[in-house]
Amino acid sequence: MTASRQLDSNSNDSGSSVSPRSPIRSGWLRPLIFAGILTLLFASGLVVATYFQLDEASAMRAATDLAMPLGLAWCSTFFLAMFSLFSGKRKLGIGLVLGWFALQAIGSDYIARKVMGPVEWPRDPSVLADKTPFRTVVSLGGSISINEDGTFEIGGDGQRVMLAAQLWHSGAAQSVITTGTSSDGATDPSVACRAMLESVGLPSSCIYEIKGRNTFEEMQSLSQFLLNPPEGFPIQGRVGLITSAFHMRRAMRLAEDRNLELVPLPCSYRVGIQPKFSPRTLIPDAGSAATLATACKERLARILGR
């Protein structure tokens, strides 16, 4: 009897030592469940709300945004923030909430548009309304991508090449200057742009190339080219500058430093028609983050004088 009681006592002691390590008693399982349920309701709520406001296709896009790396990071941060707050870790929870808002701001289409808008050079319809042909139009490099097999393709800023071709085919430009020097041993952007222009019907004789690893060097090369143009280069008319709208302010500032009188011909606008608000717009996406980064890069270049 004494041995039995001793065994029971040891058993109780052993149980009491294990019990605090039980998930329920340790206090983390319940916050984990609550945080998971809240995160699931939040994410699914955005998808469902998008469906009812717009349509099924938009709801599927919202679900896809949530499944992308930035969307997953956003949802994961929300989950960890809720778990920390439910666990009583207020400072950590508040820090994670701030991090969650930071991710949303970085990938917010609304914020990206607000920051990019003042950076982009506004289009002036009167410039193209003037029927006087341009002496030449300068298409800055960076609009052509090169595949592993060496094939040239129009990239995200391909409108630079398209606009140059449109102006030449319409008789609004007498020649085209392509720019850019590769820094990694790949084909020079000026060469790639020339090849693309020739593929859409521009004769080789009307295309000229200048070098430059960046916009600063390109403007140096352009200044030297125009001071001593090659034989056969047009001598009458204006000189147009084609580049992406977000890049035009920097390009024009560097051109003015070289006393170059260029007519801005912006294209490839990042800020288009403002989309209708929907719950999906609350989900951060990489495209908006890239737009924000581009706008910040241009502002930094202005501060540094580059």
Side-chain angles (χ1 to χ4, degrees):
M1 187 70 176
T2 303
S4 176
R5 289 178 178 177
Q6 183 66 32
L7 182 60
D8 292 341
S9 176
N10 291 338
S11 177
N12 291 336
D13 290 343
S14 176
S16 63
S17 63
V18 173
S19 182
R21 292 196 295 270
S22 171
I24 297 178
R25 293 192 180 184
S26 63
W28 62 263
L29 183 57
R30 182 174 294 179
L32 185 71
I33 293 174
F34 285 166
I37 292 174
L38 192 58
T39 302
L40 181 62
L41 289 175
F42 175 69
S44 59
L46 289 173
V47 176
V48 172
T50 301
Y51 172 80
F52 282 108
Q53 181 179 350
L54 298 178
D55 52 29
E56 181 180 357
S58 297
M60 290 298 295
R61 295 188 188 100
T64 301
D65 289 343
L66 289 170
M68 292 296 101
L70 187 55
L72 286 174
W74 187 59
C75 289
S76 298
T77 305
F78 181 87
F79 167 78
L80 293 173
M82 295 303 101
F83 174 69
S84 298
L85 292 174
F86 286 139
S87 299
K89 301 176 182 178
R90 286 178 56 90
K91 291 184 178 180
L92 178 59
I94 292 174
L96 288 168
V97 168
L98 294 176
W100 179 78
F101 276 116
L103 285 175
Q104 186 177 40
I106 290 173
S108 168
D109 178 69
Y110 176 81
I111 292 178
R113 286 172 174 275
K114 288 295 183 182
V115 177
M116 177 60 83
V119 173
E120 292 190 316
W121 190 285
R123 183 180 283 110
D124 184 0
S126 65
V127 172
L128 294 180
D130 186 345
K131 300 303 180 181
T132 305
F134 286 96
R135 174 188 184 188
T136 189
V137 290
V138 183
S139 180
L140 293 187
S143 58
I144 306 297
S145 62
I146 306 174
N147 293 334
E148 292 183 358
D149 62 357
T151 302
F152 298 144
E153 293 185 354
I154 289 179
D157 294 296
Q159 183 60 24
R160 299 183 189 183
V161 179
M162 177 61 72
L163 181 56
Q166 289 173 328
L167 290 172
W168 187 87
H169 280 297
S170 67
Q174 302 174 59
S175 64
V176 177
I177 296 176
T178 63
T179 75
T181 303
S182 174
S183 299
D184 55 9
T187 303
D188 287 344
S190 62
V191 176
C193 187
R194 166 189 279 275
M196 190 62 72
L197 289 171
E198 290 177 348
S199 72
V200 293
L202 273 74
S204 178
S205 59
C206 78
I207 305 173
Y208 301 83
E209 297 178 37
I210 62 174
K211 303 304 180 182
R213 294 169 298 177
N214 50 45
T215 310
F216 181 82
E217 292 184 2
E218 287 171 331
M219 291 304 162
Q220 286 182 320
S221 298
L222 180 60
S223 177
Q224 295 169 3
F225 179 94
L226 294 177
L227 285 175
N228 187 27
E231 184 178 352
F233 185 75
I235 59 175
Q236 297 293 331
R238 303 169 294 169
V239 176
L241 176 63
I242 300 175
T243 190
S244 302
F246 74 83
H247 184 246
M248 184 60 77
R249 294 187 188 278
R250 173 154 53 123
M252 289 297 291
R253 174 170 49 80
L254 294 174
E256 290 172 1
D257 291 342
R258 291 283 166 180
N259 295 317
L260 293 170
E261 295 184 5
L262 307 180
V263 178
L265 299 169
C267 60
S268 300
Y269 284 82
R270 263 55 173 180
V271 179
I273 298 174
Q274 180 67 43
K276 180 181 179 181
F277 172 81
S278 72
R280 182 192 171 196
T281 59
L282 297 175
I283 304 171
D285 67 274
S288 298
T291 298
L292 179 64
T294 299
C296 291
K297 177 183 176 182
E298 291 302 312
R299 291 176 181 273
L300 179 62
R302 181 174 183 177
I303 293 173
L304 297 178
R306 300 295 294 178

